[in-house]
């Protein structure tokens, strides 16, 4: 795992669509994000506004030396964005399970503190969003990736553009459309 | 699945955005025929634009809260902590909650702040020895919120009790006030000085951020929260990330590496950035992104400040400022319009130093003891403009004054703002060429001066260009003497940048016309001959050098007062030639003579005698008179340091020589340690790619060979070769020496074939050194070749080569034990290996 070259290599391949490489690198990134998320505490006032970029950034520093090529970062971001989506989905799902009484293990206060505890409302929304995203992915994989970067990894327009090799104006335009589409899709799902 | 594609939907929706409602109706019905689903979806979307925006924002906030998991209050009003009663909660951060409290006994009516940490078992006050608590409590600075006490609550949460600062956070303050840049920098200096105070007390802050800075009622900035400070004495390596706020955490904090003074410096850099943008940047911003897209630097009004910030934000701690003091000095310098150390790869800095000591218009490149034989490469050339040129002084005064103005706080006029000395020289040159009113003679003199300025900086390439301009002017004026003089200058510039081929042929022209020079000015002729001698010393062609220098020193019939310096330079060079030829006694005689002349002229502590001293040290070292060598060398360093910067090439090279002196006395570890330190210093200040760094690497390969640390020999060999590759010119034998080191690594790594190739190339490149007396390069090449042969199974040839080399090594003068040992090692290798084969 410490082999920087190998990680970079896998990231590049994964982004070129190599499923094998993707399957190798994803758990690595996911695990790192999860570990970081589990011990993170952010205040929400003023400057200290939390965003998931912080976690992605830290994972990046962990997995890839900060001196690495800037391109690596773009490759990494795509995978990390997907991993972040998975991470939140899992957190949302575990919230649901917990509510249904699935969580039997004794949880002390300190243990709880170590977890991402999404509110019920938030969990529901994430599950809805996931369904809508799957549908979106069927229509356009690129748009789905865009949502992963822009929303789940909380990347800026510029960063998203860099990660997906698109122009910033394209990202801006797409994000405008896809946001509304997802919202309307979610509203429809809720009605159904 | 719907019967429309994403592209269709996206295109139509986009188009609708720029249309009015009625237009949309028409547009949609025209373009969605047969696709009612698509039409209704788009219409729906158009009506939900606003809601969707809010939806994602809220969701993001919910997620953020999920990560932050709200925490119940850690104390409630009325609770007693130590001698204080909690009154109320006044704030909460990512890692802690803050309460205001009052004395239980009512002794003082002063209120305090009690900060309780969420995480149990943090290394706060509890883990600290009484001693360290004392440190924290004694931290006294007007800008540091005083810490009174600390401990752990019954429920296990650590706390500290500190001065209650009432005021506004920096964030709010910046928003309310329209601070000038100077006010921002003053705030920053205040913070720096409080952090420096903490560092002086061996305390790191590690959490410097706007949220921890409060402007109190008397408008004083206060740094709060030494909550996660650790003692400097224990190098903290535990991962404190969760205690930190992302935005201001340094890379080593995120990575859980060792934290240091440089961690605080990183955060100070971010704070400076934050201040200069008046709090506009860094919100949710990634640090690594900061300067990448350029638009972030729009907040930073000057290149100097940007360079200061960048130096603070280096990802490797060792590349940042080494102390808050250094950072503060740069800030003060900026405030006073002085050049800043980090700016433009320190050319500015060198130039400034040059100006500061313009009466000593020399930057002497001192010699370096070469690896392995202690031969020297001599960069002996002294700029002779300082001597006997008083009549020029007045003319040059104005020029120098201009030079001053360009870097001085008194600089007037926008034209000189943000101008480096180099830009200035460029402008000056252009002006010179376009100036009609200036007489040709003055033009010539000023170009002369420009040339000397460049060669002393030392910027040989630029100097060569000026020399070319001079040649053109000389040709235009059809002045044969000028042509000669400018040719001499051009040759000198090429020689100084190791372009010997060009230098040789130019000097050849000069020498052919030496008669004319002699007629013009005997002193100038001596100088030219000395420079030709120097050119050959640099190539280690001592025979040729001796020839020219002999002529130089025999020119004056009797030495006049004004000849002293010129002659002493010739003597100085001559002594190095004699040293190169192994005639150390003669060398010492002339070195001492040269030194006497210069001391007579300049006194005992003048910069101009320092290179004479250190070069004489080299001769003493050859004679194994180490204490004499050390005395001369240290004296030279002392003189240098009174004028020059300690990380400048002049001082560093002398210290490198000192290391070599240590190695002569078999103190290899110490030598390596000192040299590594110098290399680090040079890298930090000036980057890796410079000739002097190659020398340091070369010396390191020698020390590490002696210490049998072949991996480090390998490392420094590769680095050295890489540096050489990046240079425009260098003496070829330097590469030969590196390849010789490489062959050692290869033999130790059982790669005889590669070793043989490199030994062959090395032999070729080392040709000039092989002709010098008492060198053992041929022997080294031979026994290593022998070693490689043995590894290849060519036993007889190998043994012959090695034994022969050992015999010759024993015959030669000098201390060759180390080489004999290595050679014998190869023979042993045969014995041990022959059993297994």
């Amino acid at each position: 795992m410490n082999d920087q070259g190998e990680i970079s290599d896998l990231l590049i391949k994964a982004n070129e669509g190599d499923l094998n490489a993707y399957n190798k690198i994803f758990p690595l990134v996911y695990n790192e994000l999860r570990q970081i998320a589990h011990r993170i505490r952010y205040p929400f006032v003023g400057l200290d506004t939390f965003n998931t970029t912080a976690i992605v950034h830290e994972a990046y520093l962990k997995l890839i030396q900060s001196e690495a090529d800037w391109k690596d970062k773009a490759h990494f971001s795509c995978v990390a964005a997907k991993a972040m989506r998975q991470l939140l989905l899992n957190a949302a799902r575990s919230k649901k399970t917990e509510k249904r009484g699935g969580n039997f293990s004794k949880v002390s206060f300190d243990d709880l503190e170590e977890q991402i505890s999404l509110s019920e409302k938030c969990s529901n929304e994430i599950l809805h969003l996931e369904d809508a995203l799957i549908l979106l992915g069927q229509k356009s994989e690129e748009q789905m990736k865009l949502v992963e970067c822009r929303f789940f990894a909380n990347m800026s327009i510029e960063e998203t553009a860099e990660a997906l090799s698109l122009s910033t104006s394209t990202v801006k335009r797409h994000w405008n459309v896809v946001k509304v589409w997802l919202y309307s899709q979610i509203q429809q799902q809720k009605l159904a | 699945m719907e019967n429309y594609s994403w592209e269709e939907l996206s295109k139509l929706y986009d188009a609708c955005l720029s249309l009015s409602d009625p237009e949309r109706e028409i547009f949609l019905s025209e373009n969605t025929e047969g696709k009612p689903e698509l039409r209704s979806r788009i219409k729906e979307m158009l009506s939900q634009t606003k809601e969707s925006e809010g939806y994602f924002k809220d969701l993001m906030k919910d997620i953020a809260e999920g990560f932050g998991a709200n925490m119940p209050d850690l104390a409630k009003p009325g609770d007693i902590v130590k001698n204080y009663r909690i009154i109320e909660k006044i704030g909460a951060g990512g890692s802690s909650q803050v309460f205001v409290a009052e004395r239980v006994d009512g002794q003082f009516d002063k209120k305090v702040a009690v900060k309780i940490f969420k995480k149990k078992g943090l290394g706060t006050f509890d883990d600290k020895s009484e001693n360290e608590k004392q440190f924290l409590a004694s931290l006294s600075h007007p800008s540091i919120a005083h810490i009174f006490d600390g401990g752990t609550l019954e429920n296990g949460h650590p706390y500290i009790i500190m001065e209650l600062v009432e005021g506004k956070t920096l964030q709010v303050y910046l928003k309310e006030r329209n601070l000038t840049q100077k006010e921002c920098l003053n705030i920053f200096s205040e913070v720096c000085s409080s952090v420096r105070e903490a560092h002086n007390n061996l305390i790191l802050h590690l959490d410097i951020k706007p949220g921890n800075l409060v402007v109190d009622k008397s408008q004083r900035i206060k740094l709060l929260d030494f909550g996660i400070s650790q003692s400097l004495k224990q190098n903290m390596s535990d991962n404190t990330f969760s205690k930190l706020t992302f935005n201001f955490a340094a890379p080593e904090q995120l990575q859980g590496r060792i934290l240091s003074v440089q961690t605080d410096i990183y955060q100070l850099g971010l704070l400076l950035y934050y201040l200069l943008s008046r709090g506009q940047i860094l919100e949710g911003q990634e640090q690594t992104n900061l300067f990448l897209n350029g638009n972030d630097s729009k907040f930073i009004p000057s290149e100097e400040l940007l360079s200061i910030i960048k130096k603070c934000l280096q990802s490797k701690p060792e590349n940042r400022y080494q102390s808050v003091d250094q950072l503060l000095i740069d800030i003060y310098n900026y405030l006073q319009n002085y050049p800043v150390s980090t700016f433009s790869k320190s050319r500015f800095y060198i130039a400034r130093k040059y100006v500061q000591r313009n009466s000593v218009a020399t930057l002497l490149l001192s010699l370096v003891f070469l690896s392995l034989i202690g031969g020297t490469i001599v960069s002996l050339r002294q700029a002779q403009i300082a001597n006997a040129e008083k009549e020029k002084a007045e003319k040059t005064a104005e020029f120098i004054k201009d030079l001053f103005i360009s870097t001085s706080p008194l600089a007037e006029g926008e034209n000189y703002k943000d101008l480096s000395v180099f830009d200035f020289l460029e402008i000056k040159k252009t002006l010179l060429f376009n100036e009609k009113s200036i007489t040709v003679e003055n033009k010539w003199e000023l170009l002369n001066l420009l040339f000397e300025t460049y060669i002393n900086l030392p910027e040989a390439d630029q100097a060569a260009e000026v020399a070319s301009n001079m040649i053109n002017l000389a040709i235009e004026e059809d002045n044969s003497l000028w042509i000669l003089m400018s040719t001499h200058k051009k040759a000198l510039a090429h020689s100084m940048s190791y372009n010997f081929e060009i230098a040789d042929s130019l000097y050849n022209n000069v020498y052919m016309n030496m008669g004319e020079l002699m007629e013009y000015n005997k002193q100038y002729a001596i100088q030219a001959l000395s420079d030709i001698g120097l050119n050959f010393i640099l190539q280690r062609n001592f025979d040729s050098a001796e020839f020219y220098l002999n002529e130089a020193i025999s020119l004056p019939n009797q030495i006049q007062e004004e000849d002293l310096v010129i002659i002493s330079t010739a003597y100085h060079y001559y002594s190095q030639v004699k040293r190169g030829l192994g005639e150390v006694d003669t060398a010492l005689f002339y070195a001492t003579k040269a030194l006497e002349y210069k001391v007579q002229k300049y006194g005992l502590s003048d910069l101009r005698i320092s290179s004479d001293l250190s070069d004489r040290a080299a001769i003493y070292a050859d004679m194994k008179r180490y204490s004499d060598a050390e005395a001369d060398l240290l004296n030279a360093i002392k003189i240098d340091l009174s004028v020059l910067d300690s990380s400048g090439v002049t001082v560093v090279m002398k210290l490198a020589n000192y290391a070599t002196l240590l190695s002569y006395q078999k103190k290899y570890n110490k030598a390596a340690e000192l040299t590594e330190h110098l290399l680090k210093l040079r890298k930090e200040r000036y980057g890796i790619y410079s000739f002097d760094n190659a020398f340091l690497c070369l010396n390191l390969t020698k020390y590490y060979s002696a210490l049998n640390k072949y991996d480090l020999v390998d490392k420094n060999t590769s680095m050295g070769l890489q540096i050489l590759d990046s240079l425009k010119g260098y003496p070829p034998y330097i590469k030969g020496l590196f390849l010789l080191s490489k062959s050692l690594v290869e033999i130790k790594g059982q790669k005889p074939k590669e070793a043989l190739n490199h030994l062959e190339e090395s032999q070729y490149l080392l040709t000039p050194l092989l002709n010098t007396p008492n060198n053992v390069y041929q022997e080294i090449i031979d026994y290593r070749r022998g070693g490689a042969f043995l590894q290849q199974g060519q036993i007889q040839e190998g043994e012959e080569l090695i034994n022969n080399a050992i015999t010759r090594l024993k015959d030669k003068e000098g201390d060759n034990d180390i080489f004999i040992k290595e050679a014998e090692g190869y023979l042993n290798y045969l014995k041990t290996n022959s059993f297994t084969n």
Side-chain angles (χ1 to χ4, degrees):
Chain A
M1 199 208 92
N2 290 326
D3 190 350
Q4 294 296 322
E6 198 188 5
I7 289 179
S8 299
D9 218 42
L10 284 174
L11 284 170
I12 291 167
K13 283 187 184 148
N15 277 285
E16 282 168 352
D18 181 336
L19 205 64
N20 212 348
Y22 190 84
N23 288 337
K24 269 190 195 158
I25 195 73
F26 187 83
L28 218 61
V29 176
Y30 178 85
N31 244 334
E32 200 55 56
L33 290 179
R34 195 175 55 88
Q35 278 174 22
I36 296 162
H38 275 193
R39 57 188 167 68
I40 221 161
R41 288 295 169 272
Y42 289 103
F44 317 114
V45 281
L47 183 83
D48 302 336
T49 307
F50 163 84
N51 61 46
T52 40
T53 318
I55 300 177
V56 172
H57 179 71
E58 193 193 347
Y60 175 71
L61 285 178
K62 274 263 167 86
L63 284 174
I64 301 190
Q65 298 291 308
S66 52
E67 292 80 15
D69 188 348
W70 187 245
K71 279 221 172 77
D72 282 350
K73 174 92 190 204
H75 289 137
F76 175 83
S77 300
C78 282
V79 178
K82 196 177 271 307
M84 187 57 81
R85 169 181 165 192
Q86 190 63 44
L87 183 74
L88 286 167
L89 181 64
N90 288 351
R93 282 188 180 143
S94 76
K95 178 80 190 172
K96 295 299 257 189
T97 331
E98 185 189 322
K99 214 194 150 219
R100 277 183 231 115
N103 189 0
F104 292 109
S105 59
K106 190 174 150 255
V107 178
S108 75
F109 181 67
D110 276 343
D111 288 336
L112 260 183
E113 201 183 317
E114 292 293 318
Q115 292 175 14
I116 317 169
S117 70
L118 299 173
S119 69
E120 204 185 325
K121 181 178 145 253
C122 180
S123 304
N124 281 332
E125 296 301 343
I126 285 175
L127 293 174
H128 278 305
L129 178 59
E130 179 65 21
D131 291 341
L133 263 182
I134 290 169
L135 200 61
L136 177 67
Q138 289 162 2
K139 287 183 172 296
S140 162
E141 203 184 322
E142 190 179 76
Q143 303 302 320
M144 186 190 71
K145 279 188 176 166
L146 188 137
V147 177
E148 284 167 353
C149 290
R150 191 78 180 93
F151 182 75
F152 286 99
N154 213 344
M155 288 153 70
S156 68
I157 299 268
E158 287 78 15
E159 288 162 342
T160 309
E162 179 133 23
L164 299 177
S165 311
L166 295 171
S167 74
T168 51
S169 60
T170 307
V171 170
K172 237 184 245 176
R173 199 157 38 80
H174 284 178
W175 175 233
N176 270 337
V177 183
V178 84
K179 225 170 16 184
V180 192
W181 185 86
L182 281 173
Y183 179 75
S184 76
Q185 182 62 33
I186 289 167
Q187 298 316 309
Q188 284 188 8
Q189 281 166 201
K190 283 180 180 170
L191 289 174
Chain B
M1 201 78 204
E2 295 103 332
N3 64 343
Y4 57 85
S5 73
W6 175 261
E7 284 68 30
E8 270 180 283
L9 172 115
S10 160
K11 229 165 90 188
L12 291 176
Y13 176 83
D14 241 2
C16 284
L17 285 178
S18 55
L19 301 175
S20 68
D21 279 351
E23 282 170 339
R24 281 178 185 174
E25 280 296 331
I26 301 165
F27 177 79
L28 279 178
S29 57
E30 275 173 5
N31 287 284
T32 57
E33 215 161 311
K35 292 176 179 172
E37 238 181 298
L38 177 58
R39 188 186 319 173
S40 68
R41 187 59 181 268
I42 291 178
K43 282 168 90 171
E44 194 185 328
M45 283 169 65
L46 286 166
S47 70
Q48 291 170 334
T49 316
K50 262 229 170 78
E51 289 101 308
S52 69
E53 194 79 40
Y55 176 83
F56 282 101
K57 263 196 187 135
D58 289 348
L59 187 54
M60 196 67 222
K61 210 173 137 232
D62 287 347
I63 290 172
E65 268 167 28
F67 278 101
N70 283 328
M71 180 108 191
D73 286 356
L74 296 169
K76 53 184 191 304
D79 282 359
I80 307 291
V81 177
K82 259 281 168 59
N83 301 321
Y84 296 90
R85 181 184 297 113
I86 300 285
I87 302 173
E88 60 175 335
K89 182 172 155 188
I90 53 170
S95 59
S96 62
Q97 296 172 354
V98 184
F99 301 84
V100 64
E102 60 188 354
R103 287 281 292 208
V104 177
D105 53 18
Q107 262 186 348
F108 313 100
D109 55 357
K110 206 170 177 188
K111 288 175 184 157
V112 297
V114 176
K115 180 166 194 155
I116 305 179
F117 294 90
K118 291 178 181 174
K119 198 118 180 173
K120 295 176 185 179
L122 275 184
T124 54
F125 253 68
D126 260 9
D127 297 346
K128 295 194 185 300
S129 65
E130 278 307 313
N131 234 346
E132 291 175 68
K133 286 187 193 181
Q134 278 296 306
F135 272 131
L136 268 179
S138 66
L139 212 53
S140 165
H141 186 278
S143 287
I144 294 179
H146 201 78
I147 294 172
F148 302 116
D149 207 344
T152 307
L153 296 176
E154 273 173 26
N155 59 14
H157 291 281
Y159 68 89
I160 51 175
I161 297 170
M162 58 186 184
E163 179 185 345
L164 178 66
V165 182
E166 287 175 281
K168 287 171 177 152
T169 66
L170 184 59
Q171 219 176 328
V172 176
Y173 189 74
L174 280 177
K175 271 182 192 152
E176 283 179 7
R177 306 265 171 142
N178 196 5
L179 296 183
T180 65
Q181 180 188 309
K182 198 168 174 203
E183 285 170 320
C184 288
L185 289 176
N186 283 337
I187 290 179
F188 182 70
S189 308
E190 269 293 297
V191 177
C192 282
S193 94
S194 71
V195 174
R196 178 177 56 181
E197 172 68 20
H199 287 179
N200 288 343
N201 282 288
L202 308 183
I203 291 162
L204 297 175
H205 192 289
L206 303 180
D207 198 15
I208 302 163
K209 58 176 181 183
N212 274 338
L213 285 159
V214 175
V215 182
D216 72 8
K217 285 171 179 165
S218 55
Q219 305 295 312
R220 194 172 242 296
I221 187 93
K222 288 253 187 190
L223 182 52
L224 309 180
D225 203 352
F226 278 77
I228 56 165
S229 285
Q230 294 284 329
S231 160
L232 272 176
K233 284 189 293 187
Q234 59 183 99
N235 266 334
M236 190 178 69
S237 58
D238 68 320
N239 192 332
T240 53
F241 174 73
S242 52
K243 288 172 265 167
L244 292 164
T245 315
F246 166 74
N247 284 293
F248 273 73
E252 62 269 28
Q253 289 176 297
L254 296 174
Q255 289 166 327
R257 300 224 192 111
I258 291 172
L259 307 180
S260 66
V261 166
Q262 278 68 47
T263 312
D264 279 348
I265 286 182
Y266 186 94
Q267 296 181 344
L268 284 171
L270 281 176
L271 177 67
L272 178 57
Y273 193 17
Y274 176 84
L275 275 165
L276 290 172
S277 75
R278 312 298 191 274
Q280 287 179 60
I281 46 106
L282 293 180
E283 297 209 18
Q285 163 110 251
E286 271 192 63
Q287 290 164 18
T288 46
N289 238 342
L290 283 184
F291 300 106
L292 276 168
N293 29 25
N295 55 354
D296 295 319
S297 53
K298 68 174 181 257
F299 296 114
I300 311 302
S302 84
E303 285 290 317
E304 284 99 327
L305 288 173
L306 194 63
S307 73
I308 292 175
I309 294 172
K310 281 183 175 168
K311 175 139 183 157
C312 292
L313 298 187
Q314 291 292 311
S315 61
K316 288 188 177 158
E318 60 268 30
N319 293 341
R320 298 174 205 150
Y321 286 101
Q322 290 309 295
S323 71
V324 181
D325 262 329
Q326 286 179 8
L327 169 60
L328 261 176
I329 286 169
D330 267 0
I331 294 289
Y332 291 149
N333 278 342
Y334 177 78
L335 281 170
Q336 295 171 45
N337 274 336
Y338 281 120
V340 161
S341 75
T342 59
F343 190 57
S344 63
K345 294 204 166 168
S346 69
R347 279 179 150 197
F348 218 65
Y349 189 77
I350 300 173
R352 170 177 149 232
K353 284 288 183 188
Y354 169 69
V355 173
Q356 277 179 349
R357 57 190 170 77
N358 67 83
S359 62
V360 190
T362 55
L363 190 95
L364 308 167
L365 274 174
S366 190
L367 87 162
V368 177
F369 293 90
L370 259 187
S371 295
L372 299 166
I373 46 157
T376 54
I377 182 162
V378 200
S379 310
L380 292 156
R381 205 251 165 191
Q382 310 240 357
Q384 288 102 339
I385 61 161
N387 55 271
E389 305 235 332
K390 276 197 175 136
E391 71 273 22
K392 271 195 208 157
E394 271 173 33
K395 247 182 273 172
T396 58
E398 198 181 337
F399 183 83
I400 296 290
K401 203 180 89 199
D402 274 349
L403 212 55
F404 260 123
I405 288 173
S406 72
T407 55
S408 104
L410 301 170
E412 280 169 54
E414 282 298 300
N415 291 343
Y416 287 161
K417 223 179 128 209
D418 289 338
L419 203 62
S420 77
V421 170
F422 279 82
D423 299 333
F424 176 78
L425 288 176
E426 261 322 292
I427 290 172
K428 212 64 195 164
K429 199 174 87 186
T430 318
L431 285 177
L432 265 183
F433 275 92
N434 297 321
E435 186 60 63
K436 295 261 163 26
S437 64
I438 192 168
T439 66
V440 180
E441 282 73 22
N442 279 340
K443 206 180 250 190
W444 173 259
E445 282 308 325
L446 284 167
L447 279 174
N448 238 323
L449 191 59
L450 203 57
F451 174 84
E452 294 295 347
T453 309
Y454 275 130
I455 204 96
N456 291 324
L457 272 172
E459 290 285 334
D461 288 350
Q462 311 265 38
E465 212 186 301
V466 176
S468 298
N469 290 332
M470 293 177 79
I471 292 177
N472 289 340
L473 184 67
I475 291 171
E476 248 172 60
E477 294 298 313
D478 199 20
N479 182 329
S480 62
L481 184 63
W482 280 8
I483 293 177
L484 261 181
M485 290 164 90
S486 48
T487 307
H488 165 215
K489 288 196 184 333
K490 192 168 180 178
L492 176 64
H494 281 292
S495 178
M496 297 299 278
S497 52
Y498 311 105
N499 288 323
F500 296 121
E501 249 173 74
I502 302 177
D504 285 355
S505 82
L506 289 169
Y507 272 137
N508 195 33
N509 271 336
V510 175
Y511 185 71
M512 297 307 238
N513 297 289
M514 197 50 79
E516 193 179 342
L517 276 181
M518 218 111 72
E519 242 166 70
Y520 160 70
N521 182 329
K522 202 169 68 184
Q523 285 188 359
Y524 193 95
I526 297 172
Q527 187 182 320
L529 283 167
S530 302
D531 283 341
I532 299 176
L534 172 66
N535 179 50
F536 288 108
I537 295 176
L538 291 174
Q539 297 177 63
R540 307 194 71 73
N541 181 345
F542 294 117
D543 292 332
S544 299
E546 188 183 25
F547 171 81
Y548 292 106
L549 286 167
N550 251 330
E551 274 197 37
I553 59 175
S554 57
L555 265 184
N557 296 328
Q558 60 190 88
I559 296 162
Q560 314 261 316
E561 166 74 16
E562 63 264 29
D563 294 336
L564 274 185
V565 171
I566 294 281
I567 270 297
S568 72
T569 302
Y571 279 0
H572 183 185
Y573 294 174
Y574 194 66
S575 76
Q576 287 303 316
V577 170
K578 286 295 178 190
R579 178 182 173 231
L581 293 170
E583 302 165 30
V584 280
D585 292 324
T586 319
L588 183 61
F589 172 80
Y590 279 102
T592 307
K593 206 98 193 129
L595 196 58
E596 274 170 13
Y597 285 169
K598 282 210 186 131
V599 170
Q600 195 178 329
K601 177 100 181 168
Y602 300 120
L604 268 170
S605 54
D606 191 279
L607 189 62
R608 283 164 288 198
I609 69 162
S610 127
S611 76
D612 291 76
L613 276 170
S614 72
D615 286 351
R616 193 173 69 173
I619 299 168
Y620 278 135
D622 283 356
M623 301 167 96
K624 296 210 171 74
R625 290 168 62 175
Y626 296 127
S627 58
D628 289 326
E630 193 175 305
D632 271 359
L633 197 51
L634 290 180
N635 202 354
I637 292 170
K638 205 178 101 198
I639 291 170
D640 284 350
L641 283 176
S642 66
V643 186
L644 302 173
D645 183 66
S646 62
S647 65
V649 70
T650 314
V651 176
V652 166
M653 283 300 122
K654 289 200 180 78
L655 287 168
N657 287 348
Y658 186 72
T660 306
L661 208 48
L662 292 173
S663 81
Y664 284 179
Q665 299 163 72
K666 314 248 184 241
K667 298 171 188 166
Y668 297 110
N669 267 317
K670 277 200 171 143
E673 202 180 311
L674 174 58
T675 311
E676 288 280 9
H677 171 78
L678 295 171
L679 186 60
K680 195 179 144 218
L681 190 71
R682 293 291 297 169
K683 266 163 50 183
E684 236 166 65
R685 281 281 180 103
Y686 303 90
I688 181 76
Y689 295 109
S690 68
F691 193 59
D692 48 296
N693 286 347
F695 265 115
L696 296 174
C697 288
L698 193 54
N699 282 350
L700 282 171
T701 61
K702 154 149 197 210
Y703 310 145
Y704 288 131
S705 302
L707 293 165
N708 297 326
K709 293 181 177 171
Y710 302 113
D711 51 333
L712 291 172
V713 176
D714 193 21
K715 184 184 147 204
N716 284 289
T717 305
S718 309
M719 199 190 298
L721 286 170
Q722 202 187 331
I723 295 171
L724 289 186
D725 270 350
S726 75
L727 300 173
K728 274 196 205 140
Y730 55 84
Y733 56 82
I734 301 286
K735 186 171 181 183
L737 291 171
F738 274 117
L739 291 180
L740 200 56
S741 290
K742 207 173 172 72
S743 72
L744 172 64
V745 177
E746 282 158 351
I747 289 172
K748 296 289 173 185
Q750 308 266 7
K751 293 178 184 162
K753 219 169 145 191
E754 286 88 338
L756 284 170
N757 280 337
H758 284 133
L759 283 167
E760 194 181 332
E761 199 182 340
S762 175
Q763 165 131 23
Y764 169 71
L765 293 168
L766 288 176
T767 312
L769 298 190
L770 296 177
N771 297 328
T772 57
N774 288 328
N775 85 81
V776 290
Y777 291 117
Q778 191 60 61
E779 285 73 22
I780 295 172
I781 291 170
D782 285 351
Y783 71 66
R784 285 200 185 145
R785 200 176 272 151
F789 279 147
L790 292 184
Q791 288 183 339
Q792 285 186 344
Q794 293 161 265
I795 310 294
Q796 203 189 337
E797 279 167 281
E799 274 187 318
E800 232 167 71
L801 272 168
I802 297 174
N803 283 324
N804 193 317
I806 292 177
T807 315
R808 280 182 292 151
L809 278 171
K810 284 180 175 162
D811 282 350
K812 284 214 170 169
E813 270 180 48
D815 188 2
N816 298 322
D817 290 357
I818 206 163
F819 305 120
I820 293 169
K821 230 171 110 193
E822 188 194 332
E824 285 170 350
Y826 294 147
L827 288 176
N828 287 336
Y829 166 88
L830 178 68
K831 281 181 207 149
T832 49
N833 233 26
S834 56
F835 293 112
T836 50
N837 278 348

